Amino acid sequence: MENVTKPWPALWSLVVGFFMILIDTTIVSVANPRIMEGLNTDINAVIWVTSAYLLAYAVPLLITGRLGDRFGPKNLYLTGLVVFTLASLWCGLSGDVTMLIAARAVQGLGAAMMTPQTMAVITRIFPPDRRGAAMGLWGATAGMAILVGPILGGVLVDGLGWEWIFFVNVPIGIAAFLLVMRFVPTLTTHSHTFDVLGVVLSAVGMFLLVFGIQEGQTYKWGTVAGPVTVWGLIIAGIVVLAAFVAWQWLLERRGGEPLLPLGLFKDRNFSLGNSTIMAVGFTITAFPLPTIFYYQVVRGLTPTQSALLMIPMAVLSGALAPFVGKLIDRVNPRWFAAFGLVCLSGALFWTASLLGPDTPIWMFLLPSALQGVANGFIWGPVSNATTRNLPPRQAGAGSGVFNTTRQIGAVLGSAAIAALIQSRLAAELPVAPAGAPGGEASMTGVLPEALHAGFSTAMSQSILLPACAILLGAVIALFFGKPKVVEGWGAKAVTAADGASKAADGQQIAPQETASQENASQEAGRQ
């Protein structure tokens, strides 16, 4: 076992790859209109460029969290990083939308290998009472990616072409690989069995549900082929997912090791946190699409110009996240999380009210700033509250579940917003024009001015869905309880179970210091 004398360099090294994953998501949202034009396709196909990535990202997260426990988070992270980087190169070389969708699915698989390892390492090398600052860095990373992704994407799309939003991942991936090799320690592994039936059931159920929701408008919510209908697919997906949960319960009752450890949900904060992060994943995936289309189709902004409207959001998010992270070790994170979620909902309702053909562009900077405040108060508190009570042995499984629920929310958000946009366009535009998303042809021209009002109304109505979803998340966050004392973080656990984990300042924790920290934590838990 390797001595983790300096956990912060290890965390920073992992964050580089996590940052790349987040950049990739935000870059693609800005480039969607240009991808539609460049590959001569329609909105439904280009949404699958995102949905294929999110689906391939979400489905394996439960098992990749366990694989990290079994083979070591460092090894699995590096494997995923190689897959992600090579798939990014493939995405950039794609000549048609079918190849791009396939490459994005492989890219999502690489991201699924990487993501749980980041949170698992945080959980294992930072004691619970010093984990807030690390989670703050995780939140700041998300905020900075929101800034860098759209702006970098806009510059690359305008200057070099949409292919370069994927090529840019190659040098970042190489740098991340070298950093992880140098700074991330090899942590203790734990033996796990793998639930093959659970993997199959979860994958099939998610695919049927997402395909049914996203393709519903394409098939007019009727027949897909022969006896197969859209609603039949959706209902079948729900039934298969219910069977997956039942199988997990039965396997756990028999003393097996399920893919989804339902016992984790006995912890109140873990259950509430996963519900909250699902609403967050749904919202942050759903709301950019209608706003980006509005900026570029109605207002004629370039990808770079539309991305610049996100600067207040990203700057405030990146600035506030570390500050909030330092506080959540001492204050119940429920207040921070609920405040941030309410702010995000308010910002989206505000944005929806501004979507009109003649709204001054500068006014969109105001709800963007409120979104930045919201993000600064969401990521660290929700993540810390959810995972703080997990013992070290369950770090991989817990982080896998947490990231899975976030990505399930993202997949459903992507599918639902695509269906809603198409539905509202059909309702607000008497005949969908050839140059508009939802029309019979791909976006190859400028939307006629006479259709600006109807298109803006459709986008405004679409934003109301994620605004309501995140408001529900705020209500759930209000029921977070005070964090409990975590067993197994004494001197023996720090030095033996996880390879002599150290404190955040890089100094070794003495046994008596650890004991005093535990006593303080126990005292706080009784208050």
Side-chain angles (χ1 to χ4, degrees):
M1 286 180 288
E2 188 165 343
N3 215 359
V4 189
T5 56
K6 293 182 179 180
W8 281 99
L11 177 58
W12 275 108
S13 301
L14 292 169
V15 158
V16 172
F18 181 56
F19 184 72
M20 179 176 66
I21 294 171
L22 293 175
I23 280 183
D24 194 72
T25 303
T26 53
I27 279 181
V28 173
S29 67
V30 170
N32 275 333
R34 292 294 180 86
I35 293 175
M36 287 173 63
E37 182 178 357
L39 296 181
N40 192 29
T41 186
D42 58 23
I43 188 174
N44 203 50
V46 84
I47 291 301
W48 269 104
V49 173
T50 297
S51 290
Y53 172 80
L54 293 174
L55 193 59
Y57 191 172
V59 171
L61 279 171
L62 292 172
I63 195 167
T64 54
R66 290 297 184 86
L67 287 171
D69 282 343
R70 176 64 182 86
F71 298 106
K74 179 177 180 178
N75 294 331
L76 207 68
Y77 185 95
L78 289 173
T79 302
L81 184 58
V82 171
V83 172
F84 187 92
T85 304
L86 293 177
S88 296
L89 183 62
W90 182 15
C91 288
L93 297 174
S94 299
D96 58 68
V97 72
T98 302
M99 183 178 292
L100 179 58
I101 290 171
R104 286 283 282 166
V106 176
Q107 198 181 34
L109 178 61
M113 295 182 191
M114 296 166 61
T115 301
Q117 318 317 324
T118 304
M119 288 193 65
V121 169
I122 292 175
T123 305
R124 293 178 65 179
I125 68 177
F126 289 92
D129 56 350
R130 299 193 180 186
R131 201 176 292 155
M135 289 296 185
L137 173 61
W138 190 77
T141 301
M144 290 307 296
I146 292 172
L147 168 62
V148 175
I151 295 177
L152 180 61
V155 171
L156 291 173
V157 170
D158 285 339
L160 298 173
W162 64 264
E163 298 88 348
W164 285 87
I165 66 173
F166 300 111
F167 290 150
V168 73
N169 290 333
V170 176
I172 297 176
I174 293 172
F177 188 93
L178 296 175
L179 287 171
V180 171
M181 285 291 293
R182 171 67 179 84
F183 292 109
V184 176
T186 300
L187 298 174
T188 308
T189 59
H190 303 288
S191 178
H192 289 292
T193 58
F194 296 105
D195 176 18
V196 177
L197 179 59
V199 173
V200 173
L201 289 174
S202 63
V204 171
M206 280 298 298
F207 178 80
L208 292 173
L209 182 62
V210 172
F211 185 87
I213 293 173
Q214 183 159 304
E215 298 293 315
Q217 186 67 26
T218 301
Y219 295 101
K220 300 184 180 348
W221 301 98
T223 300
V224 177
V228 180
T229 65
V230 170
W231 286 108
L233 290 173
I234 293 174
I235 293 171
I238 293 172
V239 170
V240 173
L241 289 175
F244 165 70
V245 173
W247 166 246
Q248 300 302 285
W249 177 82
L250 181 62
L251 189 61
E252 198 165 41
R253 283 287 298 264
R254 291 177 174 178
E257 195 165 15
L259 182 65
L260 177 64
L262 298 178
L264 291 174
F265 291 93
K266 294 178 181 179
D267 179 75
R268 171 181 167 185
N269 282 1
F270 188 81
S271 297
L272 294 174
N274 276 279
S275 300
T276 302
I277 204 64
M278 181 179 290
V280 172
F282 184 102
T283 300
I284 63 172
T285 304
F287 89 81
L289 191 64
T291 54
I292 291 296
F293 275 122
Y294 165 80
Y295 291 148
Q296 297 184 25
V297 175
V298 177
R299 307 311 297 271
L301 301 184
T302 66
T304 301
Q305 290 170 333
S306 57
L308 289 174
L309 293 174
M310 303 179 186
I311 284 181
M313 170 176 61
V315 170
L316 287 172
S317 174
L320 287 173
F323 170 75
V324 173
K326 293 179 180 179
L327 295 177
I328 57 179
D329 286 328
R330 301 191 295 272
V331 180
N332 191 330
R334 106 171 71 170
W335 306 116
F336 295 121
F339 172 76
L341 293 163
V342 168
C343 285
L344 183 54
S345 180
L348 297 187
F349 279 115
W350 190 359
T351 300
S353 71
L354 294 177
L355 259 60
D358 301 316
T359 304
I361 287 295
W362 68 265
M363 291 188 66
F364 289 97
L365 295 172
L366 302 178
S368 176
L370 184 57
Q371 289 175 33
V373 173
N375 277 312
F377 280 84
I378 290 174
W379 294 97
V382 172
S383 305
N384 195 43
T386 306
T387 61
R388 179 184 170 97
N389 297 344
L390 298 180
R393 179 176 174 80
Q394 294 181 321
S399 62
V401 172
F402 181 78
N403 284 287
T404 297
T405 53
R406 176 170 63 88
Q407 287 305 315
I408 288 173
V411 170
L412 295 178
S414 176
I417 200 66
L420 184 58
I421 285 176
Q422 292 182 74
S423 173
R424 298 323 305 158
L425 284 173
E428 296 296 333
L429 301 180
V431 178
E440 295 300 323
S442 60
M443 184 189 295
T444 56
V446 178
L447 185 70
E449 187 173 352
L451 298 175
H452 283 188
F455 191 94
S456 300
T457 300
M459 297 302 105
S460 175
Q461 293 168 347
S462 299
I463 291 179
L464 297 180
L465 175 64
C468 292
I470 203 65
L471 189 60
L472 176 62
V475 173
I476 296 172
L478 285 173
F479 292 92
F480 277 136
K482 288 184 178 180
K484 299 176 183 178
V485 177
V486 179
E487 299 295 335
W489 275 101
K492 291 181 180 180
V494 172
T495 57
D498 285 320
S501 296
K502 310 299 190 236
D505 58 4
Q507 300 299 317
Q508 181 155 2
I509 302 177
Q512 62 268 27
E513 180 184 356
T514 305
S516 65
Q517 289 170 0
E518 284 191 337
N519 292 335
S521 297
Q522 292 169 354
E523 181 63 28
R526 289 192 289 267
Q527 292 178 355

